[in-house]
Amino acid sequence: MSTVKEGLKLEKNKSEELAIFGGQPAFAEVLHVGRPNIGNRAKFAERVNDILDRRWLTNGGRYVREFEQRIAELVGVEHCVAMCNATVALEIAIRALGLTGEVIVPSFTFVATAHALQWQEITPVFCDVAPRNHTIDPRKIEQMITPRTTGIVAVHLWGGACDIDALSEIAARRGLKLLFDSAHAFGASYQGKMIGGFGDAEVFSFHATKFLNSLEGGAVVTNNAELAQKIRLMKNFGFSFYDHTEYVGTNGKMNEISAAMGLCNLESMNDFIDVNRRNYRQYREELSGLKGVSLLPYTEDERCNFQYVVLEIDTGETLITRDQLMEILHKENVLARRYFYPGCHQMEPYRSYFPHAGVLLPETEKLTRRVLCLPNGTAVGKEEIERICQILRFTLANKVEISEKLGP
Ligand SMILES: *Cc1c(COP(=O)(O)O)cnc(C)c1O
């Protein structure tokens, strides 16, 4: 845990005390947004030793199978195929579902969602998001459908769900496949039912920075047995048995050490949620009433992992821009992140392919200028959050002076 610097009080409304103007940084060590949550390391070591003793490192080992089973039970789906990461899991799910031509995706997502399509020469067609929860706006999907459209890849963001009912209705009515990138949403529910069982399939990420990690890792979950079987073979070169392939495949296997880590973290998952929720509530309390800064609310009547603390900065009120605020925090060693700046449509190759995509993405473009994510997870606690909020409150209490000092 980082040590909070002694001495700096930020009480006298002296902006020189901010690190951006030459003061001491508030934290001696950098605070990250996605510092990994780590479960019981003794149990992890025990499992690693067992893996080494038995010399079974990958290819359908017992820990991967156990991890898959535990996830399927927890999420309430019939099939879970664990993989080396969520990007490969998305690629394989997209191929197994037979998606081709054009697929509708939000631009306001991590670039892997779009890349997983483009990698296999499927065109991602970027759809705008709803300002309410930052996920794909079902009302804007139908205008993007063309004769080449084969599916929708929707993304559950920040641990909250997309408008699943509306998306499912459109997909069914228009004969489109529906895949969810659920990288953020492990442990979350929608109308009381766990995320993972919706659409044709859903993909989780267990990357180090995600709520639940397996070092690197991902999984496809589905209730479609045929699809699951296809995905299971595709992630192992298409082998159905020795020396025999059914179709083209790749190597997407999860290894045993990753599964061991995933299992340890699953066992500590409720503790992670407790810490995240407590942190989130502290941020909410300490930032309440701060004009121009709004914290994206979690619907607390659903299950949620509370991993993301998402601010929206309204520069009209704060005078200081989101980027300036980010810079102020970075100088204090708080590595706040502007996810998902600048939006997939502004990144290559999409920027060159679709130079005018932004015309149809006003809410996305607005969010890419407003969103700032703050550190959460088991690596941050009460004192850190207190200090981060103190910096934000101090900055906004002195916004006129500070914005003049920073310039445009
Ligand atoms: C992290 C993330 C991915 C990629 O996951 P990896 O396991 O790192 O490949 C995909 N989509 C979203 C929305 C993500 O946040």
Side-chain angles (χ1 to χ4, degrees):
M1 208 172 263
S2 309
T3 31
V4 177
K5 193 187 74 185
E6 294 299 323
L8 179 135
K9 293 281 191 292
L10 292 176
E11 273 168 0
K12 301 182 202 107
N13 290 2
K14 279 194 181 156
S15 59
E16 312 84 77
E17 288 197 40
L18 289 173
I20 199 164
F21 299 126
Q24 276 268 338
F27 297 94
E29 251 181 73
V30 176
L31 290 182
H32 294 271
V33 167
R35 205 91 189 267
N37 296 322
I38 294 172
N40 185 323
R41 65 179 71 192
K43 285 203 85 172
F44 176 63
E46 207 177 284
R47 284 175 168 130
V48 169
N49 277 325
D50 183 53
I51 290 163
L52 300 180
D53 286 345
R54 292 184 310 106
R55 294 177 192 259
W56 194 323
L57 307 183
T58 184
N59 288 48
R62 64 178 270 198
Y63 290 103
V64 166
R65 280 183 285 129
E66 189 184 339
F67 187 55
E68 290 180 337
Q69 208 173 343
R70 295 279 302 276
I71 289 169
E73 278 166 20
L74 194 134
V75 167
V77 292
E78 281 169 40
H79 310 279
C80 171
V81 185
M83 295 203 205
C84 55
N85 61 56
T87 305
V88 168
L90 279 169
E91 286 167 10
I92 292 175
I94 285 162
R95 188 179 285 258
L97 281 169
L99 298 184
T100 57
E102 294 174 7
V103 169
I104 297 168
V105 285
S107 170
F108 195 66
T109 177
F110 182 58
V111 74
T113 320
H115 279 354
L117 293 161
Q118 189 63 48
W119 188 253
Q120 33 206 341
E121 298 186 357
I122 299 165
T123 302
V125 175
F126 296 117
C127 181
D128 211 3
V129 290
R132 178 179 64 87
N133 63 359
H134 304 179
T135 67
I136 196 163
D137 188 344
R139 294 169 311 167
K140 297 192 176 157
I141 286 182
E142 294 207 50
Q143 70 195 63
M144 330 279 310
I145 298 174
T146 76
R148 298 185 68 230
T149 309
T150 56
I152 301 166
V153 179
V155 185
H156 304 303
L157 274 193
W158 316 132
C162 304
D163 190 347
I164 296 176
D165 280 347
L167 293 170
S168 305
E169 189 276 320
I170 295 169
R173 183 162 43 78
R174 303 298 297 257
L176 302 175
K177 300 282 189 208
L178 179 59
L179 175 66
F180 290 100
D181 176 341
S182 313
H184 283 197
F186 188 72
S189 69
Y190 174 76
Q191 295 176 359
K193 192 178 156 207
M194 295 303 281
I195 297 277
F198 297 100
D200 290 289
E202 302 205 41
V203 173
F204 292 123
S205 171
F206 304 120
H207 181 253
T209 57
K210 298 302 199 288
F211 162 67
L212 185 121
N213 82 82
S214 64
L215 308 174
E216 287 257 14
V220 182
V221 283
T222 178
N223 287 313
N224 179 334
E226 203 180 315
L227 180 69
Q229 179 59 10
K230 197 164 182 186
I231 288 169
R232 202 169 276 291
L233 302 195
M234 278 185 166
K235 69 111 171 60
N236 187 28
F237 312 101
F239 280 123
S240 53
F241 47 90
Y242 290 118
D243 308 326
H244 182 89
T245 62
E246 296 282 323
Y247 27 68
V248 66
T250 182
N251 183 355
K253 297 189 299 293
M254 175 178 275
N255 69 66
E256 287 285 278
I257 307 273
S258 278
M261 183 68 167
L263 283 166
C264 290
N265 287 335
L266 269 178
E267 285 153 6
S268 296
M269 176 173 154
N270 290 330
D271 301 332
F272 300 163
I273 293 177
D274 287 345
V275 173
N276 279 349
R277 188 196 292 112
R278 190 169 67 225
N279 287 346
Y280 162 75
R281 287 180 178 162
Q282 188 186 343
Y283 273 118
R284 188 176 61 188
E285 193 172 301
E286 297 199 17
L287 296 175
S288 74
L290 202 55
K291 268 196 152 171
V293 175
S294 47
L295 177 65
L296 192 78
Y298 282 110
T299 20
E300 296 208 20
D301 50 353
E302 293 283 359
R303 290 183 64 171
C304 180
N305 60 41
F306 294 93
Q307 178 80 351
Y308 296 91
V309 173
V310 183
L311 299 184
E312 278 187 58
I313 310 301
D314 177 359
T315 303
E317 290 279 359
T318 58
L319 303 182
I320 296 161
T321 66
R322 184 275 314 269
D323 286 353
Q324 288 172 329
L325 211 49
M326 182 178 74
E327 201 50 37
I328 287 170
L329 289 170
H330 283 190
K331 288 291 191 318
E332 304 291 346
N333 280 334
V334 179
L335 211 63
R337 302 289 300 269
R338 50 181 178 182
Y339 294 140
F340 293 97
Y341 180 85
C344 294
H345 69 288
Q346 302 270 29
M347 295 167 98
E348 293 296 354
Y350 315 108
R351 188 188 170 86
S352 298
Y353 290 169
F354 321 113
H356 306 296
V359 173
L360 291 174
L361 303 169
E363 297 298 340
T364 300
E365 299 219 320
K366 200 167 145 194
L367 285 175
T368 61
R369 289 190 298 269
R370 285 166 64 95
V371 166
L372 192 62
C373 292
L374 298 180
N376 197 10
T378 49
V380 292
K382 191 164 181 294
E383 280 185 34
E384 285 87 2
I385 293 170
E386 224 167 72
R387 180 51 61 97
I388 292 168
C389 294
Q390 194 188 9
I391 295 164
L392 288 170
R393 284 200 313 269
F394 173 85
T395 300
L396 295 184
N398 297 282
K399 60 188 179 186
V400 176
E401 181 197 339
I402 291 173
S403 75
E404 272 170 14
K405 257 173 134 166
L406 288 171

